[in-house]
Amino acid sequence: MSETVRSFTRPGLPRTRRRAGGLLRYGVLALLLLCLLWAGWVTRDAQPLHALVPVQQDYRVFINDFLNKRTQIATSEVWALAPEGSAIAQIPAQLSSNFGMPEWVLNNLIYGVCLLSGNDLQTFSDILLVTRMTRVGCLIEHFHNFLPGIDEDPAGGLNLRFVPESHVYYAVRGRVLIASPSRDALIRSLTLTADQALGEAALEEQINAPGAEDLNAHLRLGADDPLGDVFEELWVALRLGPAQAQLRCRGGLQPAWRRRFEAVLADVTPQSLRPAPEGLLTLSANVGKPLPEVWAALNEAWPEPWGLHQQLFGWLDTRQGTGASVGTMLAGLLAQTGPAWALSWHGIDTLAMIPTPEIVAVLQADPSQLEQVFANWPEPPVETPAWESVPRYDAARQVVYLPMPGGPSLEPTAAIQGNGLFLSSSRRVAGELLSKPVAGGVIERKGNLTIDFFPQPALQAVVDAGLEFAHFGALRGYTVETFQAAADRWLATAQKLKRISVFALHDQGVLEAELTVEMNPRE
Amino acid sequence: MRRFLLVFAGFFLLVDPPGAALEAGTAKVEITPPVGTPLNGFGDRLGRSSLAVHDPLWARALYLTDGETQVALVNTDLCMINRELRDRVLELTPTGIPRENIILTATHTHNGPGAMHRYLPLRIVSGGFNPEILEATARSISQAVRTALENKRRAAIGYGVGKQQVLSQNRRHPGGPIDEQIGVLRVDDADGNALALVANLAAHPTSVPDSDHYSISADYPGFYYDELERLSSPGCVAMLLNGAEGDQTIGNPENQEGWARTESVGKLLAVRVKGIANQIACTDAKLRVNSAQPTLPPTIAATFQPNTVLLQTLEIDDLLLTFFPGEPTVEIGLALRQQALARGYAAQFSVGLANDYLMYFVPQPRFVEKTYEAAMNYYGPRIAEWFYTEFGKLMSRPGPETQSLPAVAAAQVEELEGGMRITLAGTPREIGLQRGLAFAEDFKARYQARVTGALISPDLLPEGSLWKLWPNFLDPAPVAVPTLAMAARPLLQGVPTSLFDEIEGMAEGAQMPFDALWLLQQAVDFKQRKERSALFDTPLCTMFAVTGDRAGAEGLLLARNLDWPEPETPVIVEVRPRGGHRLVQAGFTWNTGVYTGMNDAGLVLMLERAKPLGDPSMTGPPIELVARQVLQETGSFAEALAQLRAHTHLRGYTVLLAGNEAGEPMAAVLEFGNRIVTRSPEGNLLFGVAPQSDAADNAAAARYGRLGELLAAEQIVGRREMEEILRDTAGSEELLHAIWNADSRYSVIMEPQKRTLHVAFRSAQGVSGAYTSATLKSATDSLTVHGSQTQAAPATASQAGGASQSVPQSGTQNGIVFEQLDDETAAAIRGRGRR
């Protein structure tokens, strides 16, 4: 028998130590690996978000990448419009506050799309929040047992959690967090069948809707809901930029309203819009029908309380055929107009006999036909004094005007401008604008209505007019000093706003509108 | 022309001044505005554009210096010189000439440019404001002054006056006064050639025919300039200073029409001026310009009229020119001339429309007329006297010593429970002043509440009028109050001078416009006519008299409760006029008239509104002023009855009159409806309104029905029974069916034989308080002290206009003896009175 000598010298000790340390390390690594595997497993994105959003909800609001954009939203100039001390004015501060959580926690709890939906548009009692968490957020939630103020609610195996302090139920499926103040709403969401859920395609469509970068909502309205008597459903998208807020709406009219406005909206499709004359408030419209036709249809659909239509057209009817009358003037001119027209509030003439708003309009018309009308303008009877309010053609200036008390500032004037009929409430303003080059062409985007409002100069015009009355002690409730002080405050607010624009169109029974608020940069 | 009579010409200026020789320069610069500029002067144009130029307009300047004094006299073919224009001209004019020595005048052509008024109200007449027109006009005027200064040369000056009777006429009163004087200034160069001829005539340039209503024209001055310059040496500048032309217009000496008439007057004036000028010899002269910026009397139109104004006079040796900032009527010009001549001036020219435009100025007698000039007189009835005084201060020649009116202190005001007491004595003005000083703050508060606050509220503006189009964000008061004041002025006709003066004194004491005080007096009746609100619903009930045996030993007793919805503090006012009867009345701080009063002859008058008898009349003095007048003027029942019946314009009231006739107590009620009905006592009882009559509305029928029930139970009615009846609250207090109701402010019982009046004011608890008695002594009686006054508190400074003091706690106050029931008796009566 041979004897085998085994040496247990130096190489062995370290090896022994190595083996022991390695085991620990491997153990830890393994444990970590297991933890990671477990974490990966429990935080896997196993549940599609769209499967938890009911398709039948009356409203759905998508907020894209809320946390990453909240700083941008909070610093938007638009918030400066909120009344000081109001709840809305607090929103930027709240957005920046992390809602009492460390930022990293918050950043992990809400990630990407955040979806709000429900059926109660009055009190929002069943509002449902669906969002996706990060893995970290999901993991943090997994340890909710270590967090105070969260109760378990098994709910027949649905494993809900309840936060009594804020009376919110929530559940986690995969990385999706679903929360609601309504337990029923939450349970319904967790038990949706495939055909009851929104579906992937619908979700993607709504998330990627144009203009929906920040917020996108779909509302199906009932008769009792706000605007529910007008619209069947509304799509709303909001985008908040550093100096701009843009709200896009698309709405399907209720059948009753469709019937009511049928004469106005029938066959209305987006049209070319002509630029409005410069002004503090401008409006350009084209519904494919001449203005008198639209006016009559509107009056039929929506009889206004003052009987303006009846007064104006009734008066026109009685005045037509009497030669050089205002009725003849208006009827003759309006008969030549096409569907596109634009209107501007140019300002207030504070130096007029009585401070008077200045209104300017341009209506699409065939210049050659207008020339015919102007050339054949009836002369007033010889015995008519030159100052009497009978419309007259000024051949030198090629305008028709109506002499009025107060002089040119209050004298309606008509002229041919480019391919349009130019109308002005003031002969002075007409002279001023007609001497400038005609703004030709059309607005690039097709639609039916566009409105631009410039709050600061508009308010300044109103203030200047008010001061005229205040100097005379005739502004009710104000002296010059108190009015000036109040006006300074209003102007300071208006100074923040650069422009408010509305763009609207109608196509195949759906109304679309876009409201844009542009702010002036802070000084 | 034959009718012209030259009465004075060729004043030789004999004084050889020690300073430098006289120098003068002239210039004229065209100021015709562009066609389209609105014209000024006629409201019916409403700012419409002008359509043509008939003849050009000019600014004509005469610069004068005697080495010490420089003066620039500018004559413009404008309707007026408004402040904006004057300020801009002064900014543009070289500083070498003292600003107060630049005199800007307008001919008042109604076909000159408007568009130069910055502020709203005058734009209605002058059209929208056009800064370019203002600037261009101011620059041209300034250029005329500058050129005249540059053109200065050795000159001589003289003046003369002529007479005319056909170039002007009184437009308001056919055959009324005119200023027959034509004043002429002649300025010659060293060679004896006329540099300037300046005429002064009082006549409105409003003769442009209707066909050229919207044409630019200088009116008759345009023809005058052309003709006079044609008649004169080359280079002569013709000028025209319009005079005291408020109610003067041009005549028609050649019986022409249209432009022919305008031309005729202009040319005849030129010929006349040339004729006068030919007789004037020119020499050196001493110049003197005096100016001041005095504070104007308060105006009802403070929102568009200033409170100070520049006044100027120019003296050329012994000729005085006075420059009015508006349009004085001819009587003011003539009176001022008399005052100037009395001071030793050889002649005086009044020049209107100079430097500013405060509209019209009429003398006090014209103030009450329903005329355009009176309506546009915004500075009260004494504006003429104000001008006489202020121009008098500017005249360098001394006038007669004028005694300043004695200082008047505020009357003493004593507070009583629920009311006040005040005694007023002296001339009507002094009485008014005492009252105004004592109650100034209250007057202002009442004026705000009743006139600007209430009468002008939108729901009271006349239906169907343009006022209804007034936008809600605008306050109509700045326009409506002056308009209302104009409407109220004619109601002053028939108001005795003494009461007019008293109201003036009240206005002066309270530092308020006369029109405001007058509107305050009228507010009740104005409101009554509208019949739209209970604010001024003044049933003034309930009043009755007991006569004969039923009045016991007194033979006549009267009582009333005064209902007044406004929570005003009533005042017992004793008036001791310098002439006429003393009287005591229970009224309010501001009302000059009488609702409840008695005079020292025992004559009693009480008023009650009776709606079924119609709306109060707006064609003469209100009934309370008539009552005041009667009490002050007569002690006889029969005479008072006759006086009241003579006021056939009164409507809507009943008046309870009582007094003595041949030693017998008498009482009657006059019902002022479509006709005047007089009722006598029945069964020794006389009610202010007979409950079953057509004069009684539901509330009056209920009150007087109840009164009848209460009196039927009393065979003898004494003071105690009356007090009890007046405290009766049976019936609805809110509907005013109760004798003492929600609106009752005081109870009064009168014992005419004793000249005693007992008053109980509404207490803080809303019931009739303790009675205070006042006995009115005749004027010849010495003042005796007896009785006592309790619960008196010193008047506060605000209540007493800052000038009152409390009166002694007991005694006789200026002839009224006060006594008061002891508290126990009062409480007992009060207890019985409450049901």
Side-chain angles (χ1 to χ4, degrees):
Chain A
M1 274 186 68
S2 61
E3 197 173 0
T4 299
V5 179
R6 293 183 177 176
S7 174
F8 294 96
T9 55
R10 286 186 66 85
L13 281 172
R15 198 176 299 138
T16 305
R17 269 189 233 113
R18 261 201 315 272
R19 187 178 295 127
L23 281 175
L24 183 62
R25 191 175 300 132
Y26 290 139
V28 170
L29 280 173
L31 188 60
L32 279 175
L33 190 59
L34 282 173
C35 287
L36 282 172
L37 284 172
W38 173 81
W41 177 254
V42 298
T43 62
R44 69 192 187 284
D45 195 6
Q47 187 75 20
L49 194 138
H50 59 80
L52 293 163
V53 182
V55 71
Q56 287 301 322
Q57 298 286 68
D58 280 352
Y59 67 91
R60 280 193 299 273
V61 180
F62 294 83
I63 307 171
N64 273 334
D65 200 9
F66 169 70
L67 286 176
N68 281 336
K69 288 184 178 170
R70 68 196 173 106
T71 306
Q72 177 194 325
I73 293 170
T75 55
S76 173
E77 300 286 346
V78 176
W79 300 110
L81 295 177
E84 210 169 311
S86 68
I88 296 174
Q90 311 302 319
I91 291 176
Q94 288 170 357
L95 287 173
S96 308
S97 70
N98 297 337
F99 308 102
M101 289 179 258
E103 189 169 357
W104 69 272
V105 173
L106 190 66
N107 285 342
N108 286 292
L109 281 183
I110 301 176
Y111 173 71
V113 173
C114 179
L115 195 151
L116 299 165
S117 65
N119 289 307
D120 178 5
L121 272 165
Q122 308 283 337
T123 61
F124 300 98
S125 60
D126 61 350
I127 188 168
L128 185 74
L129 165 79
V130 183
T131 186
R132 181 175 279 112
M133 296 181 285
T134 61
R135 284 182 188 276
V136 175
C138 191
L139 208 53
I140 292 167
E141 197 285 328
H142 214 75
F143 294 104
H144 68 273
N145 286 333
F146 300 103
L147 300 173
I150 299 178
D151 299 341
E152 297 283 353
D153 179 356
L158 290 174
N159 293 329
L160 310 186
R161 327 256 193 262
F162 181 57
V163 185
E165 192 177 332
S166 51
H167 195 82
V168 169
Y169 293 88
Y170 77 90
V172 174
R173 296 293 182 270
R175 292 221 316 258
V176 177
L177 172 73
I178 315 113
S180 174
S182 164
R183 187 170 181 269
D184 288 347
L186 183 60
I187 291 171
R188 270 200 306 275
S189 167
L190 295 172
T191 55
L192 291 174
T193 60
D195 57 333
Q196 291 171 328
L198 181 62
E200 187 173 7
L203 180 66
E204 287 300 317
E205 184 190 345
Q206 198 155 356
I207 290 172
N208 297 320
E213 286 83 350
D214 293 333
L215 183 146
N216 179 8
H218 174 222
L219 298 89
R220 195 168 55 227
L221 301 168
D224 296 335
D225 294 327
L227 295 176
D229 58 335
V230 180
F231 294 103
E232 279 183 314
E233 52 186 345
L234 271 178
W235 293 266
V236 179
L238 175 69
R239 185 173 187 182
L240 276 176
Q244 181 174 295
Q246 194 175 62
L247 180 73
R248 285 185 175 188
C249 302
R250 190 154 51 91
L253 285 173
Q254 291 281 9
W257 274 66
R258 275 205 295 271
R259 283 193 297 276
R260 187 173 171 185
F261 286 93
E262 191 169 8
V264 185
L265 296 175
D267 306 324
V268 171
T269 53
Q271 304 284 326
S272 296
L273 294 167
R274 60 183 306 139
E278 64 184 71
L280 309 175
L281 171 67
T282 67
L283 181 155
S284 179
N286 186 350
V287 293
K289 300 163 189 176
L291 183 59
E293 200 178 310
V294 176
W295 175 281
L298 264 177
N299 181 67
E300 201 175 305
W302 199 354
E304 32 72 37
W306 314 285
L308 193 62
H309 174 83
Q310 189 57 37
Q311 283 183 17
L312 178 61
F313 282 84
W315 179 75
L316 283 180
D317 287 344
T318 61
R319 300 288 292 182
Q320 281 186 54
T322 56
S325 72
V326 177
T328 306
M329 169 185 169
L330 269 177
L333 292 174
L334 290 177
Q336 312 302 324
T337 57
W341 55 276
L343 187 76
S344 289
W345 169 37
H346 184 259
I348 299 177
D349 187 347
T350 56
L351 301 181
M353 191 171 74
I354 296 169
T356 310
E358 299 161 332
I359 309 294
V360 179
V362 181
L363 294 86
Q364 179 191 352
D366 182 344
S368 60
Q369 287 183 332
L370 283 178
E371 279 166 13
Q372 286 277 325
V373 174
F374 277 43
N376 296 315
W377 197 261
E379 285 288 325
V382 179
E383 67 277 10
T384 309
W387 57 87
E388 196 162 289
S389 294
V390 175
R392 292 153 203 278
Y393 180 56
D394 180 343
R397 295 182 178 82
Q398 295 184 309
V399 299
V400 171
Y401 71 100
L402 182 68
M404 288 288 285
S409 293
L410 302 173
E411 290 178 345
T413 303
I416 302 167
Q417 189 188 44
N419 64 345
L421 168 66
F422 175 93
L423 297 173
S424 169
S425 64
S426 160
R427 190 145 64 103
R428 189 185 55 73
V429 172
E432 181 188 317
L433 294 183
L434 288 171
S435 66
K436 294 182 178 177
V438 182
V442 293
I443 295 172
E444 194 177 325
R445 197 169 159 195
K446 281 194 172 184
N448 299 114
L449 174 75
T450 177
I451 297 171
D452 280 305
F453 177 55
F454 301 89
Q456 201 278 335
L459 182 61
Q460 185 67 58
V462 172
V463 167
D464 291 345
L467 280 171
E468 292 290 325
F469 292 108
H471 276 297
F472 174 36
L475 195 59
R476 198 184 287 274
Y478 290 102
T479 62
V480 172
E481 292 74 24
T482 58
F483 182 68
Q484 186 68 67
D488 287 345
R489 289 195 299 276
W490 305 331
L491 286 166
T493 302
Q495 179 66 38
K496 298 168 187 168
L497 264 169
K498 186 177 179 183
R499 184 166 73 157
I500 298 173
S501 306
V502 174
F503 188 90
L505 59 86
H506 175 269
D507 200 5
Q508 297 176 357
V510 174
L511 282 176
E512 281 188 41
E514 184 178 296
L515 169 73
T516 306
V517 178
E518 283 180 59
M519 306 296 293
N520 279 315
R522 266 180 213 168
E523 290 173 2
Chain B
M1 289 298 290
R2 291 194 304 275
R3 298 173 67 185
F4 288 143
L5 175 65
L6 180 65
V7 293
F8 187 86
F11 279 85
F12 291 87
L13 305 178
L14 302 175
V15 180
D16 192 11
L22 187 80
E23 291 183 302
T26 58
K28 59 179 186 181
V29 175
E30 188 173 346
I31 57 170
T32 311
V35 170
T37 305
L39 302 178
N40 203 352
F42 286 120
D44 67 340
R45 292 196 187 108
L46 286 172
R48 290 184 177 91
S49 306
S50 57
L51 298 168
V53 177
H54 181 272
D55 52 87
L57 309 181
W58 298 89
R60 295 157 185 270
L62 169 63
Y63 169 81
L64 292 169
T65 178
D66 61 1
E68 292 179 2
T69 301
Q70 300 181 82
V71 59
L73 180 60
V74 184
N75 146 218
T76 61
D77 292 323
L78 296 174
C79 189
M80 62 188 66
I81 303 291
N82 53 300
R83 287 200 169 190
E84 297 91 326
L85 180 61
R86 176 177 170 81
D87 290 347
R88 187 64 186 135
V89 169
L90 293 183
E91 283 172 10
L92 295 167
T93 302
T95 54
I97 308 169
R99 296 201 159 195
E100 60 276 16
N101 289 14
I102 296 172
I103 302 167
L104 304 179
T105 72
T107 59
H108 200 43
T109 173
H110 280 45
N111 286 63
M116 291 190 278
H117 284 284
R118 180 69 186 82
Y119 292 111
L120 274 177
L122 293 170
R123 287 194 215 162
I124 300 297
V125 175
S126 72
F129 176 55
N130 186 337
E132 291 171 13
I133 298 294
L134 175 70
E135 182 67 13
T137 309
R139 285 192 178 278
S140 297
I141 294 171
S142 171
Q143 182 60 45
V145 174
R146 194 176 293 112
T147 307
L149 176 63
E150 289 165 5
N151 289 344
K152 72 177 178 181
R153 67 191 77 167
R154 179 71 176 90
I157 193 168
Y159 68 90
V161 293
K163 210 170 184 182
Q164 62 83 23
Q165 289 174 324
V166 293
L167 291 177
S168 67
Q169 58 183 321
N170 193 307
R171 70 176 183 178
R172 198 57 57 203
H173 304 283
I178 64 168
D179 187 352
E180 296 181 355
Q181 176 178 286
I182 299 176
V184 179
L185 266 179
R186 174 176 172 170
V187 182
D188 283 357
D189 65 12
D191 300 325
N193 299 314
L195 287 174
L197 288 172
V198 185
N200 175 224
L201 175 79
H204 257 81
T206 48
S207 68
V208 171
D210 287 349
S211 57
D212 276 304
H213 197 49
Y214 289 87
S215 293
I216 294 164
S217 171
D219 205 290
Y220 75 86
F223 291 97
Y224 153 81
Y225 301 138
D226 290 348
E227 181 69 3
L228 186 57
E229 289 176 1
R230 190 183 66 79
L231 294 172
S232 305
S233 51
C236 173
V237 174
M239 295 173 67
L240 178 68
L241 305 176
N242 215 329
E245 47 65 71
D247 53 357
Q248 305 288 290
T249 189
I250 61 168
N252 193 357
E254 295 177 330
N255 202 23
Q256 299 283 357
E257 288 187 355
W259 279 113
R261 177 190 175 206
T262 310
E263 182 176 357
S264 155
V265 171
K267 287 185 171 177
L268 287 175
L269 175 63
V271 171
R272 190 77 190 110
V273 168
K274 180 64 179 161
I276 297 167
N278 285 344
Q279 298 179 57
I280 296 173
C282 298
T283 182
D284 273 338
K286 181 72 183 159
L287 305 174
R288 186 181 184 117
V289 176
N290 289 323
S291 64
Q293 187 96 24
T295 300
L296 285 153
T299 175
I300 192 84
T303 50
F304 58 91
Q305 290 287 44
N307 56 10
T308 66
V309 71
L310 174 68
L311 292 185
Q312 290 164 309
T313 60
L314 168 62
E315 295 179 16
I316 304 172
D317 282 338
D318 52 3
L319 168 68
L320 172 71
L321 289 91
T322 48
F323 296 90
F324 286 88
E327 301 182 68
T329 54
V330 72
E331 287 132 319
I332 294 177
L334 295 175
L336 188 62
R337 182 172 303 149
Q338 290 309 311
Q339 293 173 25
L341 297 179
R343 287 179 183 236
Y345 290 99
Q348 183 266 354
F349 301 169
S350 281
V351 182
L353 302 141
N355 299 309
D356 208 336
Y357 187 66
L358 311 186
M359 302 202 181
Y360 284 78
F361 313 120
V362 299
Q364 193 257 4
R366 298 279 187 219
F367 184 74
V368 301
E369 290 180 350
K370 198 170 186 173
T371 63
Y372 175 69
E373 292 82 9
M376 303 297 280
N377 180 104
Y378 282 122
Y379 285 94
R382 300 287 178 188
I383 188 64
E385 285 77 3
W386 184 87
F387 276 118
Y388 303 151
T389 303
E390 296 301 329
F391 278 131
K393 291 177 189 170
L394 297 180
M395 296 179 196
S396 58
R397 300 191 178 216
E401 284 292 317
T402 53
Q403 287 188 330
S404 56
L405 294 168
V408 174
Q412 294 177 333
V413 179
E414 182 186 3
E415 281 194 354
L416 306 172
E417 185 192 10
M420 290 184 280
R421 188 173 68 199
I422 188 171
T423 301
L424 310 168
T427 64
R429 178 184 166 273
E430 289 167 348
I431 286 173
L433 267 173
Q434 291 161 18
R435 194 171 188 149
L437 288 165
F439 295 123
E441 295 308 314
D442 198 56
F443 287 3
K444 287 167 186 163
R446 295 292 150 205
Y447 176 71
Q448 284 295 326
R450 293 222 151 144
V451 180
T452 58
L455 285 181
I456 311 303
S457 66
D459 60 322
L460 290 176
L461 296 173
E463 292 288 348
S465 71
L466 285 176
W467 292 109
K468 279 293 173 188
L469 300 176
W470 196 265
N472 197 43
F473 69 92
L474 294 181
D475 183 354
V479 176
V481 168
T483 308
L484 204 59
M486 290 181 206
R489 297 254 185 81
L491 303 176
L492 282 159
Q493 292 177 31
V495 172
T497 307
S498 60
L499 293 185
F500 193 109
D501 292 349
E502 188 174 319
I503 298 170
E504 275 197 285
M506 288 166 68
E508 186 182 341
Q511 287 292 297
M512 290 173 70
F514 174 88
D515 285 314
L517 253 293
W518 181 237
L519 279 178
L520 189 52
Q521 306 297 318
Q522 293 289 324
V524 172
D525 284 344
F526 272 36
K527 181 74 184 198
Q528 285 291 329
R529 290 188 82 229
K530 311 284 185 193
E531 290 194 349
R532 289 185 193 163
S533 158
L535 187 61
F536 292 106
D537 210 1
T538 53
L540 303 170
C541 65
T542 305
M543 59 190 192
F544 64 100
V546 183
T547 62
D549 295 342
R550 288 191 83 169
E554 298 297 332
L556 177 63
L557 281 173
L558 300 103
R560 74 126 3 117
N561 278 348
L562 186 130
D563 297 349
W564 193 260
E566 280 280 281
E568 284 191 68
T569 306
V571 190
I572 303 170
V573 183
E574 189 212 353
V575 182
R576 304 174 65 205
R578 195 142 291 175
H581 292 272
R582 294 183 183 190
L583 59 108
V584 61
Q585 59 151 318
F588 299 100
T589 59
W590 51 270
N591 75 301
T592 317
V594 165
Y595 294 123
T596 310
M598 177 173 62
N599 71 13
D600 57 7
L603 189 73
V604 173
L605 272 172
M606 297 178 184
L607 312 184
E608 177 167 354
R609 173 86 170 100
K611 286 183 183 175
L613 295 180
D615 286 343
S617 161
M618 303 303 286
T619 56
I623 194 165
E624 59 270 25
L625 284 184
V626 172
R628 166 75 188 273
Q629 179 187 3
V630 170
L631 282 182
Q632 200 161 317
E633 290 182 355
T634 182
S636 155
F637 175 84
E639 202 176 315
L641 191 63
Q643 280 194 23
L644 285 168
R645 290 183 65 88
H647 285 277
T648 53
H649 74 281
L650 297 174
R651 291 281 184 286
Y653 281 87
T654 64
V655 177
L656 175 51
L657 169 69
N660 288 298
E661 194 60 43
E664 286 296 313
M666 306 284 285
V669 166
L670 290 91
E671 294 178 353
F672 288 95
N674 289 332
R675 60 195 180 92
I676 302 172
V677 174
T678 308
R679 287 193 284 112
S680 302
E682 290 180 17
N684 287 330
L685 293 178
L686 183 60
F687 291 175
V689 175
Q692 305 303 325
S693 74
D694 292 341
D697 59 15
N698 289 341
R703 287 194 309 273
Y704 281 101
R706 174 66 180 162
L707 181 64
E709 290 173 20
L710 295 171
L711 285 170
E714 306 283 354
Q715 283 306 308
I716 304 292
V717 181
R719 182 180 145 198
R720 294 289 184 263
E721 287 75 24
M722 284 185 150
E723 287 179 6
E724 195 167 344
I725 287 169
L726 292 178
R727 293 174 197 273
D728 186 82
T729 56
S732 165
E733 288 195 40
E734 283 69 34
L735 294 174
L736 311 181
H737 288 185
I739 293 172
W740 180 269
N741 57 53
D743 286 348
S744 298
R745 295 287 148 207
Y746 63 72
S747 303
V748 172
I749 297 169
M750 296 210 194
E751 297 175 288
Q753 309 301 338
K754 295 178 181 170
R755 315 287 191 266
T756 298
L757 170 138
H758 311 277
V759 184
F761 296 117
R762 188 183 187 89
S763 71
Q765 291 73 38
V767 298
S768 178
Y771 274 84
T772 296
S773 300
T775 299
L776 190 62
K777 296 288 189 180
S778 74
T780 53
D781 286 348
S782 61
L783 302 181
T784 55
V785 177
H786 66 93
S788 65
Q789 171 58 40
T790 61
Q791 297 182 356
T796 62
S798 63
Q799 286 165 325
S804 69
Q805 297 172 347
S806 62
V807 296
Q809 292 293 302
S810 63
T812 299
Q813 298 299 319
N814 299 320
I816 301 185
V817 183
F818 294 96
E819 64 173 89
Q820 187 158 350
L821 296 176
D822 59 88
D823 290 345
E824 196 176 325
T825 311
I829 292 171
R830 201 175 296 131
R832 289 201 303 273
R834 303 292 295 179
R835 302 281 165 102

